[in-house]
Amino acid sequence: MIDRSEGASWARSIKVRHLESFLVLDEAGTLTEAAARLHMTQSAMSHWLAELERVAGTPLVVRGRKVQLTPAGHLLRRLALTVLGDVARTGREMHAVAAGRVPRLNVGSVWAGIAGGLPEAVAAFQQRHADVAVSIHDGPFDNLLKGLETRAMDAVIGVLDARAHQPQLAHQVLFDDRVSIVIGQGSRHWGSNRVLDFADVLREKWVMPPVGTLTRIQMDAYLIEQQASWLVPKAETASLAMMQALLQKGDYVGACSESMADYMASLGLFRKVAVDSNIRFGPITVVWNREHASATLIDFVACLKAHARGVPGVPVQAPPGA
């Protein structure tokens, strides 16, 4: 059995003030300078250090023209940095909570939101709220919305539909998105210099989202309009990473939100196919629970609106439902 009292008994006599003063002594280098910084006499400083070493049960410094930390002194310095850092951080978090702010935001987003300004919004938000951490989660919109009920999520970004109109929820439209048809570097059309249109890729191997998803519903409606309802995809996936891998490795054509298509095209990974009419995806919206809204969250929503689809610096009023 480990005797826990042996390792903890001395710590019961250590106070935060002891740790603060020890760091001052280490930084000052001499008892005289440390005493001056702490507004103490040198005699009182020497007495304080002797008392601290008595509590620790071992010498903490080697006295001389300039004090040097002993191995035990280095351990105490490490403890002081850890404890005082935790105290300061907890103090900031408690102050933030008392002022209606929070130390962490959990944000869920579909891929359209991630490509449509979420990274820029997080960066801008943390310039103003450096003490707030932001955890970003991706996944199906339904699953993310459930997190608003349990408080696992503070805000969720997805497509506006009936699910966002529940009484306890508030929302803010960020931008209107469309569906894009894309190819990757695995396509035989990748190196073509001419503009590709729908007819060029109609009879290729298609990768589409599963039946019932919003993108698939909109694509199926477009195919009917183009008298191409006979088209059957060769692969179906809700994973953007899987679709990207197929388009990079094989001769496929894919469908995704335009915000994601533009983002991937900017990285040189996708190329958009021209279509003669807009394939509507829907309004990308941030949703939150009215009952759990904090001042920090409302500031974050304002940053999302200002940076949606890469348009920074637009003044934004506090969103409705705040």
Side-chain angles (χ1 to χ4, degrees):
M1 291 289 291
I2 297 175
D3 185 0
R4 298 184 185 277
S5 62
E6 181 181 349
S9 59
W10 71 274
R12 297 190 185 101
S13 300
I14 294 288
K15 298 180 175 59
V16 170
R17 180 63 176 168
H18 285 138
L19 301 178
E20 291 175 331
S21 299
F22 189 72
L23 289 183
V24 170
L25 174 60
D26 179 51
E27 183 180 334
T30 68
L31 288 172
T32 302
E33 177 61 23
R37 295 185 186 185
L38 293 169
H39 307 290
M40 300 168 61
T41 65
Q42 184 171 345
S43 174
M45 186 71 193
S46 296
H47 179 76
W48 165 84
L49 179 58
E51 176 64 17
L52 182 61
E53 290 181 323
R54 185 193 65 76
V55 171
T58 184
L60 299 173
V61 301
V62 177
R63 292 161 177 78
R65 291 187 60 184
K66 191 169 185 179
V67 296
Q68 301 289 330
L69 299 186
T70 65
H74 282 289
L75 291 175
L76 187 65
R77 180 180 182 275
R78 185 180 68 186
L79 174 67
L81 291 172
T82 300
V83 170
L84 294 176
D86 287 344
V87 168
R89 182 168 53 255
T90 301
R92 289 193 301 269
E93 292 178 355
M94 292 178 70
H95 180 74
V97 170
R101 303 192 305 274
V102 293
R104 175 178 295 275
L105 289 177
N106 287 287
V107 180
S109 181
V110 298
W111 277 104
I114 293 174
L118 176 55
E120 295 86 347
V122 170
F125 171 78
Q126 290 188 323
Q127 286 181 349
R128 294 158 50 185
H129 297 272
D131 57 339
V132 180
V134 180
S135 296
I136 300 171
H137 313 262
D138 62 72
F141 192 44
D142 271 338
N143 293 349
L144 296 174
L145 276 179
K146 292 174 183 176
L148 293 177
E149 300 176 12
T150 63
R151 303 193 72 168
M153 295 292 160
D154 295 294
V156 171
I157 302 170
V159 183
L160 179 64
D161 59 20
R163 292 170 292 183
H165 289 283
Q166 301 175 44
Q168 75 276 21
L169 300 182
H171 70 268
Q172 172 78 57
V173 175
L174 301 176
F175 62 92
D176 199 64
D177 210 354
R178 291 177 288 274
V179 176
S180 282
I181 299 172
V182 295
I183 61 170
Q185 294 179 8
S187 170
R188 63 190 181 91
H189 298 289
W190 182 260
S192 173
N193 292 324
R194 67 183 183 83
V195 176
L196 296 175
D197 59 27
F198 182 67
D200 292 320
V201 298
L202 177 58
R203 298 187 180 276
E204 304 292 348
K205 296 182 295 184
W206 282 72
V207 181
M208 286 194 190
V211 172
T213 59
L214 185 58
T215 306
R216 180 61 177 274
I217 291 170
Q218 304 290 29
M219 273 303 303
D220 286 346
Y222 178 74
L223 292 175
I224 292 172
E225 177 188 315
Q226 298 297 313
Q227 299 182 347
S229 58
W230 47 265
L231 192 154
V232 177
K234 293 294 185 182
E236 295 183 349
T237 179
S239 165
L240 178 73
M242 188 64 226
M243 188 187 78
Q244 178 188 345
L246 286 170
L247 267 60
Q248 291 298 106
K249 301 297 183 180
D251 188 10
Y252 291 95
V253 179
C256 64
S257 72
E258 185 177 57
S259 56
M260 182 54 69
D262 288 341
Y263 173 71
M264 299 297 279
S266 73
L267 299 178
L269 299 174
F270 283 0
R271 181 178 169 187
K272 292 168 68 176
V273 175
V275 293
D276 55 9
S277 64
N278 287 332
I279 311 173
R280 191 169 185 272
F281 186 80
I284 303 301
T285 306
V286 56
V287 186
W288 65 96
N289 193 316
R290 298 176 191 272
E291 298 176 358
H292 305 153
S294 64
T296 307
L297 175 60
I298 299 310
D299 283 350
F300 181 73
V301 171
C303 285
L304 283 171
K305 180 62 178 175
H307 291 266
R309 288 287 277 162
V311 185
V314 180
V316 179
Q317 301 296 321

